[in-house]
Amino acid sequence: MTCCFLYFSLFLIDESHKESTPFINSNNDGGRIYEGKNMALYEVTITQNLCRLKIGFLFSLIVIFFFLHFCFQEEIDSTPMVASLLSKLANYTNLTQGVREHEEAEDGVRRVAVMVPQMGTFIGVYLPCMQNILGVILFLRLTWIVGTAGILESFAIVSMCCICTLLTAISMSAIATNGVVPAGGSYYMISRSLGPEFGGAVGLCFYLGTTFAGSLYILGTIEILLMYIVPTATVHKDNMRVYGTCCLLLMALVVFVGVKYVNKLALVFLSCVVLSIMATYAGAIKTLIEPPEFSVCLLGNRSLKNEIFPSCAKTEVVKNISVTTDLWKHFCDSEYSNATCDEFFTLNNLTEIPAIPGLLSGVIKDNLWSNYGPANMEIEKKDLPSQSPQIPSNDRNQYFVFSDIATYFTLLVGIYFPSVTGIMAGSNRSGDLRDAQRSIPIGTILAILTSSFLYMTFVVLFGACIEGVVLRDKFGFSVKKTPVIGVLAWPSPWVIVIGSFFSCCGAALQSLTGAPRLLQAIARDGIIPFLQVFGHGKTNGEPTWALLLTVGICEIGILIASLDEVAPILSMFFLMCYLFVNLACAVQTLLRTPNWRPRFKFYHWTLSFLGMSLCLSLMFICSWYYALIAIVIAGCIYKYIEYRGAVKEWGDGIRGLSLNAARYALIRLEEAPLHTKNWRPQVLVLCKLNADLEVKHPRLLSFTSQLKAGKGLTIVCSVLEGTYMTRKEDANLGETKMKVTMAAERTKGFSHVIVSSSLRDGFSILIQSAGLGGMKHNAVLMAWPVGWRQARDSLARRNFIETVRETTEANQALLVAKNIDHFPKNQERLKEGAIDVWWIVHDGGLLMLLPFLLMQHKVWRKCKMRIFTVAQLDDNSIQMKKDLQVFLYHLRLDAEVEVVEMHDSDISAFTYEKTLKMEQRSQMLKEMQLSRTEREREAQLIHDRNTASHSVTNEKAAGATPDRVHMTWTKDKLLNERNKHREGMAVKDMFNMKPEWENLNQSNVRRMHTAVKLNEVVVKKSKDSQLVLLNMPGPPKNKKGDENYMEFLEVLMEGLDRVLLVRGGGREVITIYS
């Protein structure tokens, strides 16, 4: 019915508007073209042709009617068909539900909500998509694109862009039919499918694209106004900027006053688009009967601007007298025949050719191939002869038609792509549709197929009907400053001019209406803190602040003042949005989440991936630097939301993707044992909670975050005594407070609070079962039990020693921090000082690795590392120091080395469980001095299976020979040799695996010569150090010696402020090899 209405509108247009009707700026000489013709015969021919044309139109309308009846059958309800369609067209709007709610609030009376939405596929999806897709590029640039790129390459451009939007529409249909999509369209779909980070980034890109689309349409409106309607309205040299800014402010005022005015004009804007398209097809068909009388004037092979002269001739006969024409006066210095003329004008003849040869003219052969060139290049017809002057002159160049910009394929792709955007119009209004899950896929895909058909046929028709020099004339200077598509249109070019003008106005108003509401939706989601102010507006919810920001951004596009330069910017943001729509569909399909059940079944992850790849390719084809800028903008927004945005759980696909990736990574970690080079501290932090269920020592978490330069795993745990049934709420509250403390101390990791019948059993369960698969902890960090002396049989002492025994049995490293509350906070900066390492026994290198990791953190960065080792009196201390420096050099560690000499009896208590005698360590350091040739020939990494755990002993055979000592820098060959030499050693020279702590009482431990002497040396050397790292002796074999063991450790650490006792896990953690 709409088509019939438009047809009769065309029929009633005054036939006095002939094809050659000039515009306002013409000289009204159109009557000359009929001079000397038989007008009676001419009128009869025209009448017959018009009758044939009307019959063809009626047949086409019947076909279109049955097609629409088949596709949109649900539009036909109980109301009579004609009345129903007219009623829906009268109430047609291109605005979403939220915009109409604002409109209703402006009236002061809230209308009664209709329970059943009235929109079907045709009115609710198809028409809005068509109105958004067809627009300014079609009317102002498509003919120029066809003339510049040629029919074949133009067909390729249109095909690429249409395939891109079709694949995106398939992905969008799958997402849109997987549930209800409220207002927000693509933003809502992407944010709920890929998470708030992607949703916010792409949502803002879509907002920027919609805003710059407003700039594009306003620039198109002003170009039509100043070029074709009122060409004399010149107020400033920057007419586009001045008029564009005024137009923007006027449209913003209309939107601010009330969107109901935009709504009421929606049908007018849609009618303009349809009318212009039908006029173009009618003109193309009419060329079969009689081509329009528009002609192009060529000087040589160059096209001339013929709006400044009435005839294409150098001279003409008036009253049998040959006189010069107006064209002569422009190229010569006088009107007389003997005047001095431009050399190119003198050498070349004038040729007048038809601008629209017609479908049967064969001009399609000339327009198949491209005609790219630099800026300011003359538009020429290549098959015409032309003579160039020996000395080129630029004095008369203003009368020729030039290309205003350099042209190439990728530029045309960027300019054309905005003409296929607008496919989200249907998904934006899913709440207004009777059956959204049926209407959105059908309406959107049919709109894309229809628009693709229109664009492709237009490419062929333009190339087959219009002369090439006219096609390449962007602004129609060669056809009396008429739009090129208007020259083709029937019955008058004014149909295109007025239609495209109102179409651009309507599209600009819709952009200025939709963009602020999109920004308001993003702001109200609360995912971007600095945008919250734009979530507010007038009392009726109108987004006033968002409208102001939209106008400001839109003004940036206006100030560019070039439709050709704004179009690629617009293309970038829309392509970015479409890329993530395809990504969202692909991710959801591959993850196969239970909630992914779209009703639209004609999708596949390969199609989504192809669409995503095509979008990315088109971004860089259009403009690689604009593409990089758009990606950087989206990346910055993504990271900002990730670190500063609100935490939202929307069940997005990225969460599912993370779960799949984590599962895959955990399985891969289980496939092979961890190599020494990949070792990093994965810490289980055993915390205590006070009566208020808060972490008793928060600095323990600070120290953990400072130690995490290795980027390993952190599990913060605690144990509550009791039963889970009675203390479940306490456990949840304690875990919540623990997470708050971890966030305050900037500790990234996992937290867990368990309930157990005793602290000892709880800690045992955590040491055994914390972590998952390959992401299990390899080190335990805990605080030194300060009050263990208060009760000799205290639980604190027993729990501590049992924890030491269990970590030893589990082959896990143990870190015990004394005076943990004195350790620096994350906000502190130690400006100087040292981290002292007292290397008494070899622990796999952990004692040397920990200071290096600490110094990677900004708290400890300015500290230096010092390593102290102990030598016997008969050792060569100087050589030991040199060998140790060489060893540290191979380990790539920067540290000061100092050798402390002590008597053998001073360190005898340390000869247990893999403790090195001084002469043995000195011998090993000497063995480092191998020749380079031998090192290169025999050097190989030490296998973990050769590393014996210090906890794996044969307790049944107490007198058995202990395991081999394993150093980082030793080689299997050297170890074998040394083991042979050790067979004859006395037992006292070997390692005492289990010291008899139970044979010592408290007074004896106080008087232990070893602890006292070693403590004196440590205090003397490291009293002012920021941190002291000491080897931690092994636990006693029997529980009778627990108290003596604790006393020994107390004496060892006496007089020191910050101490970290370190006990290795029985494996190498550092290596000299790359």
Side-chain angles (χ1 to χ4, degrees), residues 939-989:
Q940 58 182 345
L941 296 176
I942 303 169
H943 298 288
D944 289 340
R945 64 176 180 269
N946 293 331
T947 305
S949 171
H950 59 222
S951 62
V952 180
T953 57
N954 189 354
E955 297 184 358
K956 296 181 180 180
T961 304
D963 292 341
R964 298 179 298 174
V965 178
H966 188 65
M967 299 287 289
T968 304
W969 61 81
T970 56
K971 299 181 178 61
D972 291 340
K973 176 182 177 180
L974 299 176
L975 291 175
N976 294 333
E977 289 295 323
R978 196 159 61 245
N979 285 334
K980 294 178 181 179
H981 296 158
R982 287 180 180 173
E983 292 176 357
M985 289 186 181
V987 175
K988 65 178 181 179
D989 293 329

Side-chain angles (χ1 to χ4, degrees), residues 17-23 139 143 228 276 279-287 290-296 306 353-358 461-462 465-467 469-471 473-497 500:
H17 291 276
K18 301 299 180 180
E19 288 78 8
S20 60
T21 299
F23 276 53
F139 300 119
T143 54
Y228 307 120
S276 301
T280 305
Y281 276 112
I285 295 172
K286 187 178 179 297
T287 60
E290 180 183 4
E293 293 296 331
F294 280 96
S295 59
V296 183
N306 65 358
I353 61 174
I356 311 293
L461 289 177
F462 292 160
C465 293
I466 305 175
E467 179 62 47
V469 291
V470 180
L471 285 174
D473 185 1
K474 183 188 295 184
F475 303 106
F477 291 124
S478 60
V479 283
K480 299 187 181 300
K481 215 171 186 180
T482 306
V484 176
I485 191 174
V487 177
L488 179 63
W490 180 86
S492 170
W494 281 102
V495 177
I496 297 296
V497 173
S500 60

Side-chain angles (χ1 to χ4, degrees), residues 920-1063:
Q920 293 170 347
R921 182 157 79 259
S922 176
Q923 180 64 29
M924 287 185 180
L925 289 173
K926 291 177 182 178
E927 290 169 353
M928 279 291 296
Q929 299 176 350
L930 296 173
S931 66
R932 181 178 300 272
T933 303
E934 185 177 359
R935 284 202 305 268
E936 293 176 354
R937 185 176 65 251
E938 298 184 1
Q940 58 182 345
L941 296 176
I942 303 169
H943 298 288
D944 289 340
R945 64 176 180 269
N946 293 331
T947 305
S949 171
H950 59 222
S951 62
V952 180
T953 57
N954 189 354
E955 297 184 358
K956 296 181 180 180
T961 304
D963 292 341
R964 298 179 298 174
V965 178
H966 188 65
M967 299 287 289
T968 304
W969 61 81
T970 56
K971 299 181 178 61
D972 291 340
K973 176 182 177 180
L974 299 176
L975 291 175
N976 294 333
E977 289 295 323
R978 196 159 61 245
N979 285 334
K980 294 178 181 179
H981 296 158
R982 287 180 180 173
E983 292 176 357
M985 289 186 181
V987 175
K988 65 178 181 179
D989 293 329
M990 298 301 293
F991 302 115
N992 189 350
M993 298 300 296
K994 296 292 180 181
E996 298 297 328
W997 294 101
E998 60 272 18
N999 295 331
L1000 305 172
N1001 55 33
Q1002 182 177 355
S1003 59
N1004 289 334
V1005 172
R1006 286 287 185 184
R1007 300 184 185 93
M1008 268 193 225
H1009 187 65
T1010 302
V1012 173
K1013 289 294 184 181
L1014 185 57
N1015 177 258
E1016 288 178 358
V1017 176
V1018 173
V1019 171
K1020 179 180 178 181
K1021 297 288 186 180
S1022 304
K1023 184 177 182 180
D1024 298 329
S1025 298
Q1026 298 290 356
L1027 179 64
V1028 177
L1029 279 74
L1030 290 171
N1031 285 114
M1032 184 178 183
K1037 180 178 180 180
N1038 298 322
K1039 295 183 179 181
K1040 296 179 181 179
D1042 288 357
E1043 186 175 348
N1044 296 331
Y1045 176 69
M1046 298 295 288
E1047 284 289 352
F1048 181 85
L1049 294 179
E1050 282 282 5
V1051 172
L1052 190 63
M1053 297 184 294
E1054 189 174 359
L1056 300 174
D1057 185 19
R1058 299 173 186 154
V1059 181
L1060 185 66
L1061 294 176
V1062 180
R1063 182 165 176 78

Side-chain angles (χ1 to χ4, degrees), residues 90-151:
N91 296 320
Y92 169 74
T93 174
N94 197 26
L95 304 178
T96 58
Q97 183 178 8
V99 179
R100 293 202 308 279
E101 290 173 355
H102 294 161
E103 176 192 339
E104 293 169 358
E106 289 174 358
D107 296 338
V109 178
R110 186 70 178 182
R111 297 182 178 88
V112 178
V114 180
M115 298 305 295
V116 180
Q118 297 300 312
M119 290 189 181
T121 304
F122 182 69
I123 300 294
V125 181
Y126 183 79
L127 287 184
C129 287
M130 288 295 294
Q131 185 176 351
N132 281 270
I133 292 173
L134 303 172
V136 60
I137 301 298
L138 169 63
F139 300 119
L140 296 183
R141 291 293 183 269
L142 188 57
T143 54
W144 172 71
I145 291 174
V146 174
T148 305
I151 295 176

Side-chain angles (χ1 to χ4, degrees), residues 621-634:
I621 287 174
C622 294
S623 174
W624 65 267
Y625 47 89
Y626 280 159
L628 292 178
I629 293 173
I631 292 172
V632 168
I633 291 174

Side-chain angles (χ1 to χ4, degrees), residues 401-440:
V401 182
F402 287 87
S403 57
D404 59 333
I405 59 174
T407 54
Y408 41 89
F409 180 80
T410 57
L411 173 71
L412 300 185
V413 175
I415 293 175
Y416 173 77
F417 188 81
S419 65
V420 297
T421 59
I423 61 175
M424 301 290 182
S427 63
N428 289 345
R429 52 175 62 217
S430 62
D432 306 332
L433 302 173
R434 181 182 300 118
D435 186 0
Q437 297 189 357
R438 181 179 185 273
S439 297
I440 290 177

